[in-house]
Amino acid sequence: MHPQIFPTYQDLSSHVAQKVFFRIEQHLRDKNHMVLGLATGKTPIGLYAHLLALFETRPDLNLSGLVAFNLDEYYPIPPTAPHSYHSEMQRMFFGPLQEINPSFRAEQQTHIPHGDTPDIKKECRRYEEAIHRHGSIDLQILGIGTNGHIGFNEPGSDDTTRTRLVDLAPETIQINADKFFHGDTNQVPRQAISMGVGTILEATEIFLLASGSSKRAILQDLRERNEPTPHNPASYLLRHPHVRWFVDDEAWGEYKERK
Ligand code: GLP
């Protein structure tokens, strides 16, 4: 893995936003269709802000061919809950993008698993089928959990996993409580519906973003691995032919060969 290393989070976010914007422009120009896989969490917030600024410079772009699939959604949670991934995405990206460019209709062009579904198996099947109806994901944006999770594929997830109900790891519940639920773990759902590692690996291209010292240990683990392992689900990306790793100095740190 040979990441691009940036001095700051903002430099990383701005650079990745330009690459994503170029990919969107290119796909819409060449085939008027682009399937974008999106992530939530704190890391992509800067990317979405810089992307919106770039979309503002091109109000002429016809975005009706842009389709977005999010990696995951908590379960159980109603889409209208303030900290559902539906609400997060609407707040930080889909709503502002529709304001900037009305050819993007969030309701029709975005897909996030339904955290209030009465039938999990049916919802997971529906989600996988919806992705395949659009061909495949052209570009998947990923963050990475401190335990190596991608989406909500926690340690123990291998490359055969598909969209399914997953149990959140205790560290994930604590971290998400601290970040989004005012530290109250009781408010954090214990499960989520997540694209599987296998689903993610079918993306044509993957951009993984990592920022901050909390990601240093898991990135160092990846640097030392030759073989993918379910213990660090992000390690399956090491086999993908078109992954780009974008990290900041804080996350990459000074590599210390383990004695
Ligand atoms: C959450 C999300 C992941 C995200 C990860 C890291 O669990 N389900 O998609 O990559 O946490 O989040 P952050 O970017 O806030 O560190």
Side-chain angles (χ1 to χ4, degrees), residues 4-9 12 210-212 246-253:
Q4 237 177 306
I5 306 169
F6 297 85
T8 69
Y9 170 69
L12 181 156
S211 168
F246 301 96
V247 302
D248 63 14
D249 276 343
E250 272 289 290
W252 195 241

Side-chain angles (χ1 to χ4, degrees), residues 90-236:
Q90 189 61 25
R91 198 168 31 239
M92 69 179 163
F93 190 52
F94 297 150
L97 180 55
Q98 187 162 306
E99 286 291 304
I100 290 166
N101 188 324
S103 69
F104 179 75
R105 294 147 310 137
E107 188 63 34
Q108 291 83 355
Q109 294 171 240
T110 64
H111 303 267
I112 303 180
H114 296 156
D116 59 349
T117 179
D119 184 335
I120 295 270
K121 282 198 179 336
K122 188 174 170 196
E123 172 60 9
C124 294
R125 200 171 40 250
R126 178 194 71 81
Y127 207 68
E128 286 275 341
E129 286 167 0
I131 295 171
H132 291 125
R133 235 192 340 275
H134 285 278
S136 64
I137 290 174
D138 295 304
L139 174 59
Q140 175 67 57
I141 304 298
L142 289 179
I144 183 170
T146 54
N147 60 6
H149 76 223
I150 46 177
F152 272 127
N153 292 287
E154 300 282 28
S157 304
D158 67 17
D159 56 355
T160 64
T161 50
R162 309 302 301 190
T163 302
R164 71 206 182 290
L165 183 68
V166 296
D167 293 326
L168 300 191
E171 63 267 31
T172 299
I173 292 168
Q174 184 61 59
I175 288 171
N176 279 274
D178 296 344
K179 281 181 193 168
F180 303 111
F181 294 88
H182 317 294
D184 181 359
T185 53
N186 295 321
Q187 285 190 49
V188 185
R190 273 19 191 191
Q191 295 180 301
I193 298 175
S194 177
M195 280 189 204
V197 176
T199 318
I200 292 168
L201 291 174
E202 287 176 348
T204 305
E205 190 173 23
I206 298 175
F207 286 179
L208 185 138
L209 289 65
S211 168
S213 57
S214 70
K215 304 298 169 69
R216 199 171 291 184
I218 199 65
L219 289 178
Q220 186 144 335
D221 181 78
L222 286 173
R223 287 159 91 160
E224 293 169 351
R225 287 200 182 283
N226 300 314
E227 282 304 305
T229 167
H231 298 300
N232 179 346
S235 63
Y236 287 99

Side-chain angles (χ1 to χ4, degrees), residues 7-114:
T8 69
Y9 170 69
Q10 283 305 330
D11 291 330
L12 181 156
S13 302
S14 168
H15 178 86
V16 177
Q18 287 169 45
K19 281 197 166 309
V20 172
F21 188 76
F22 175 71
R23 292 285 190 285
I24 293 171
E25 249 192 322
Q26 192 181 39
H27 276 81
L28 293 179
R29 184 185 59 239
D30 297 350
K31 43 184 201 164
N32 191 27
H33 188 242
M34 165 75 168
V35 185
L36 197 50
L38 296 178
T40 42
K42 292 234 186 274
T43 304
I45 292 174
L47 165 63
Y48 294 136
H50 284 280
L51 259 180
L52 290 169
L54 289 167
F55 277 113
E56 275 185 325
T57 67
R58 289 292 310 279
D60 59 299
L61 273 182
N62 174 1
L63 300 181
S64 59
L66 179 61
V67 175
F69 283 90
N70 263 76
L71 283 162
D72 44 20
E73 175 62 281
Y74 289 115
Y75 179 83
I77 196 164
T80 51
H83 292 300
S84 71
Y85 283 174
H86 273 79
S87 298
E88 294 278 347
M89 288 305 300
Q90 189 61 25
R91 198 168 31 239
M92 69 179 163
F93 190 52
F94 297 150
L97 180 55
Q98 187 162 306
E99 286 291 304
I100 290 166
N101 188 324
S103 69
F104 179 75
R105 294 147 310 137
E107 188 63 34
Q108 291 83 355
Q109 294 171 240
T110 64
H111 303 267
I112 303 180
H114 296 156

